[in-house]
Amino acid sequence: MIDIPVNWVQKIQNIDWSKVQESVKDYGPAIKVLQQTWSKESLLEISQGKLFVPDSVINEAIAKRIPAGGQVTGVTIKSHANGRMDIRVETKKVGPVELSGEIKEFVHNGDKSYVTYRVRSRNIPEHGLMSWIFSRISLSMAERMVGHIDMPDNLPVSIKHNTITVDYSQALAESDFGKTEYQGHKLTDMIEIEGATPKDGGIEFDTQLNVPDDVKKALVALLKDKEADLQESQADSSASSDQQNEN
């Protein structure tokens, strides 16, 4: 296992694309999962060790995990340059609940995946609500790196005083990303998450992308094909718009 060099994209022109594309055809399911998980930009950031995810992206993911008709109607985070993360929870029963705290650990390494928060409050709300909130925040934060993870009924959440730990290892293992292999290599072994730090407007994740040599070309081809498809789609859309204007 090796880290992708920072300058690997510069070598794209030297690759025999016909051979790469033939190889990729045999691994359609894995490539599909990767396309749904990573953009070109996010993959490059992950490979270089830092991935910045805006609060707006995380909040959008959280919103999709809030069922209609429940007691909680909204959860949003706001990250700050001093490393603090504010959380606002809208509830029907008690109104808004506001918390502030720190991300002490955010880890994914092989089959070990968990997040630990330290809430800076003397008395945090009842444990059931805290488990509900932080389980959804944790999975939403992980999405940009490991794809969508379904919310299980029994996600392990431990609360000791004001420290909350969410273990999402089993939920990740049962996700599409967790169950997918490429040439015998599990996708979950390709990426490591070593930490997360709130910054102004978003969260910066410390990452490591461990990719075997036989996967390198497939990832490069994935980025090239995805970008080509986007450009083609934009060209078709532009042509369609021009035709409508003429009519």
Side-chain angles (χ1 to χ4, degrees), residues 22-178:
E22 286 300 317
S23 174
V24 169
K25 288 179 182 178
D26 295 333
Y27 300 94
I31 298 303
K32 183 178 180 180
V33 171
L34 288 168
Q35 285 178 323
Q36 293 172 343
T37 304
W38 293 331
S39 66
K40 176 180 178 179
E41 291 75 21
S42 65
L43 180 58
L44 287 172
E45 288 187 60
I46 290 170
S47 71
Q48 294 168 7
K50 299 287 185 182
L51 174 66
F52 182 81
V53 182
D55 289 340
S56 59
V57 172
I58 297 173
N59 286 330
E60 182 179 350
I62 295 172
K64 294 177 181 178
R65 296 183 180 276
I66 300 176
Q71 289 300 310
V72 175
T73 59
V75 178
T76 56
I77 68 165
K78 184 175 182 180
S79 304
H80 299 279
N82 63 359
R84 296 288 284 271
M85 183 178 75
D86 296 339
I87 303 170
R88 182 180 174 90
V89 185
E90 304 293 341
T91 72
K92 292 180 179 178
K93 189 175 181 179
V94 298
V97 176
E98 296 185 345
L99 303 166
S100 184
E102 305 157 340
I103 303 171
K104 303 301 292 184
E105 294 182 276
F106 200 115
V107 173
H108 165 67
N109 188 342
D111 58 2
K112 181 174 62 175
S113 309
Y114 65 91
V115 190
T116 301
Y117 304 89
R118 170 71 175 175
V119 178
R120 296 295 182 179
S121 175
R122 288 187 177 182
N123 296 300
I124 64 174
E126 53 96 6
H127 286 191
L129 178 60
M130 289 296 92
S131 295
W132 195 96
I133 293 168
F134 281 95
S135 61
R136 281 156 178 78
I137 291 176
S138 299
L139 298 191
S140 298
M141 288 171 63
E143 273 196 10
R144 192 69 178 269
M145 292 161 286
V146 296
H148 179 74
I149 305 173
D150 288 334
M151 178 63 63
D153 294 331
N154 57 344
L155 187 70
V157 179
S158 170
I159 301 178
K160 296 182 178 180
H161 303 293
N162 287 6
T163 299
I164 302 168
T165 300
V166 180
D167 183 343
Y168 66 98
S169 54
Q170 187 59 38
L172 173 57
E174 295 174 358
S175 70
D176 288 342
F177 194 89

Side-chain angles (χ1 to χ4, degrees), residues 200-239:
D200 185 23
I203 296 176
E204 184 179 79
F205 294 87
D206 296 320
T207 60
Q208 184 170 328
L209 190 63
N210 299 315
V211 182
D213 287 331
D214 56 358
V215 179
K216 268 191 189 179
K217 289 185 178 180
L219 288 175
V220 175
L222 165 65
L223 296 181
K224 180 176 183 292
D225 291 345
K226 190 173 183 180
E227 187 172 274
D229 289 344
L230 177 60
Q231 291 174 347
E232 182 178 347
S233 175
Q234 291 174 337
D236 290 344
S237 177
S238 177

Side-chain angles (χ1 to χ4, degrees), residues 174-185:
E174 295 174 358
S175 70
D176 288 342
F177 194 89
K179 292 185 290 188
T180 301
E181 294 186 0
Y182 179 80
Q183 295 187 358
H185 304 288

